[in-house]
Amino acid sequence: MSRKTRAFAAAGVALALGLTSAACSGNKSDDKGGTTSGGKSAYNAAITDVVNPSTTKGGTLNLWTAQDADFWDPARGYYAFVWNLNRLYTRKLVDYAASPGKSGLELAPDLASAMPEISADKLTYTFKLKTGTKFDDGAAITSKDIKYGIERIFAQDVVPGGPVYLIDILDQGQGYKGPYKDTDANKLGLKSVETPDDQTIIFHLKKAQSDFLYLLAMPGAGPVPQKRDTGAQYNSAPAASGPYMFKAGSIQPGKGVVWVRNPNWDPATDTIRKALPDQINLTVTTNAEDMDSRLMAGTADIDVGQTGVQATARTKILQDPALKANADTPATGFIRYAALATSVAPFDNIECRKAVFYAADPTSLQTARGGPIAGGDIGTSMLPPNIAGSDAKYDPFNRLQGKPQIEEAKKALAACGKPNGFDTTIAVRNNKPAEVKSAEALQAALKQANINAKIEQYDGAQLSSVIGAPDNVKAKGYGIQIAGWGADYPTGSGYLQPLVDSRFILKNGNYNLPLIKDPSIDGLFDQAAGETDATKAAALYEQINHKVMEGAYYLPFVFDKALNYRNPRLTNAYIHDAFGQIDFQALGVSDGK
């Protein structure tokens, strides 16, 4: 077997577990007219097709968002749209192929010259790098830059916020704290990663990890030149290895950024990115409805948040065939939910958590998200339908009946010692209208069971230090936190592990919001990581999902869909299944403006 074939064989199990193509999970009765001949625009055409295919270069792509980036530093960003945009300026050893449908989930060599050579015991991964790859300042990209980028992830005291999977896999008892605190006299850094020369990088694993290649496709595994690293300040001027770089001084929190062409990017070394526009502008707004108006008027090209237009625009788009022809409602792979914090009384009592589950009105929460077409199907568990291990029939709290169960809620309140109800606080991002409406719908439903919830809104860009900081959650009494999650990579671990594994609890940038600490759940993840049989791995993820729901930690609202509008002038528009969003790096503009 060739090196490439061996690598894909190892990755194949993980790919088989995902099955996240829109063709498998996104097209239900409301997704009509999806496939078009010739790549012309139509409702839902971008789910399965490339709309307006073109190789024309030039012009300016105008992106908008009602949610600022959490971080542009590749090691720190965790928002889905930020990972998507990261492909503009960060390359990795491997990355997702640029394609709609299932093929977009395949990993392809990026900075690597080929997929890795993997040892027979699946514990050693050896990559050779392409020649001729450079950073935006002209410096050659070497294996040491890639290792250093990965080492930064370990410095959670300096650059927190991003995923930490690689810490658990690569530390192996070293106790490595990142490059800023590296006191090794031999300057070996992270010992499980070797760089014998500038074109070779070798990863040594302690145990087989079926998802390892997916972790190397994350932004934090991209190269960082040590001489340009400024620690926490690197976020204001990240180095670029991709076709675009940040225009000097353009990163303005709360306002936007500008990307311009990286003159040292060589398209001959990059088979993934098209790099069509000359410039890409991202404008941050606090007015989502104004953004929707600009989209429909053609002065904005696309909302990078990809969480759906607001109610007014939704009605206009669905009722106007001309507008609808430039819209898509893909299944995003996200679940929208409320997390119940076990550190905030009375949610340290499972019966009080169950009371919230029973009192919630599934239909009003679905309506708040946009209804069955633009919001999604009622959520019943914490594995989305496009992840192997989910079960459409699993509905432990009878949410599919679509109405609150007040009598069951009262029984749970009595069982937790709060027969007269209790007070709590719902924390929700102020720049996510659908989340605010969800909080209001939940508040109204809980009131019927004498659970009095006040709503506290916060700046969504500060999520990692607000609800992502357990000490702050406890101090503020945020018993209920409105959030959403999409898979970091398309397997059960890629979806659930950051949310429910106790080893992923962080002081800042935490996503295990309920603070679940269940050794049996952690152990099941370990079993799944070494499992090479896709069916057996899926069964393990199913067990984890059941344990999470039995603990009443997360109240799922919907298996998310989002009605998004794309400017008719956009070329190469398609939904990328790895993100559940339009693939931003592929876009061009047809008018050259």
Side-chain angles (χ1 to χ4, degrees), residues 90 102 185 211 234 314 348 358 442 512 515:
T90 303
K102 228 186 278 193
D211 295 338
Y234 187 72
R314 188 186 309 138
D348 53 340
Y358 287 123
L442 182 59
N512 181 342
L515 302 182

Side-chain angles (χ1 to χ4, degrees), residues 207-211 524-533 540-541:
K207 55 186 177 182
Q209 297 285 341
S210 60
D211 295 338
L524 287 168
F525 280 119
D526 292 341
Q527 283 183 250
E531 183 54 69
T532 58
D533 183 298
L540 293 170
Y541 295 134

Side-chain angles (χ1 to χ4, degrees), residues 64-82:
W64 279 64
T65 179
Q67 168 70 69
D68 201 357
D70 48 354
F71 298 101
W72 295 117
D73 182 338
R76 305 183 71 183
Y78 216 154
Y79 289 166
F81 79 88
V82 174

Side-chain angles (χ1 to χ4, degrees), residues 96-170:
Y96 293 98
S99 176
K102 228 186 278 193
S103 58
L105 294 173
E106 294 179 1
L107 295 175
D110 190 3
L111 289 174
S113 60
M115 296 302 281
E117 181 176 356
I118 303 174
S119 62
D121 60 7
K122 296 183 174 57
L123 298 181
T124 304
Y125 289 65
T126 302
F127 288 91
K128 294 289 185 178
L129 272 60
K130 293 174 181 173
T131 57
T133 59
K134 297 178 180 180
F135 287 110
D136 50 307
D137 63 357
I141 297 171
T142 72
S143 58
K144 294 176 179 61
D145 297 316
I146 295 171
K147 178 177 179 179
Y148 184 78
I150 290 171
E151 287 176 333
R152 293 179 76 247
I153 297 172
F154 287 71
Q156 286 296 304
D157 58 329
V158 180
V159 287
V164 295
Y165 298 98
L166 288 173
I167 295 177
D168 184 53
I169 292 172
L170 296 176

Side-chain angles (χ1 to χ4, degrees), residues 344-490:
V344 178
F347 294 127
D348 53 340
N349 188 311
I350 187 174
E351 294 298 332
C352 283
R353 300 197 296 271
K354 287 181 177 180
V356 170
F357 275 58
Y358 287 123
D361 182 347
T363 300
S364 69
L365 289 168
Q366 181 189 46
T367 300
R369 289 299 315 178
I373 294 177
D377 298 329
I378 290 173
T380 56
S381 75
M382 284 302 291
L383 261 187
N386 54 352
I387 299 291
S390 65
D391 180 358
K393 297 179 181 178
Y394 181 60
D395 182 18
F397 288 91
N398 298 315
R399 292 182 49 72
L400 289 178
Q401 66 182 7
K403 57 185 179 182
Q405 303 167 71
I406 299 302
E407 290 306 313
E408 291 298 323
K410 290 180 178 179
K411 291 177 184 178
L413 286 170
C416 79
K418 299 287 184 180
N420 298 318
F422 56 84
D423 298 338
T424 192
T425 299
I426 301 174
V428 62
R429 291 182 281 191
N430 63 5
N431 54 353
K432 293 288 187 180
E435 292 190 0
V436 173
K437 289 181 179 179
S438 297
E440 292 170 346
L442 182 59
Q443 178 189 47
L446 295 182
K447 183 69 175 177
Q448 302 306 307
N450 293 324
I451 299 173
N452 302 304
K454 69 175 182 179
I455 296 173
E456 187 167 318
Q457 299 186 30
Y458 67 92
D459 180 358
Q462 304 303 316
L463 181 147
S464 64
S465 60
V466 180
I467 66 171
D471 288 346
N472 185 64
V473 168
K474 186 174 183 179
K476 294 290 183 65
Y478 292 155
I480 302 175
Q481 301 150 64
I482 308 299
W485 193 257
D488 288 346
Y489 50 91

Side-chain angles (χ1 to χ4, degrees), residues 84-101:
N84 193 343
L85 288 169
N86 199 275
R87 282 156 62 95
L88 298 173
Y89 62 95
T90 303
R91 298 180 67 180
K92 285 84 69 179
L93 287 168
V94 295
D95 205 344
Y96 293 98
S99 176

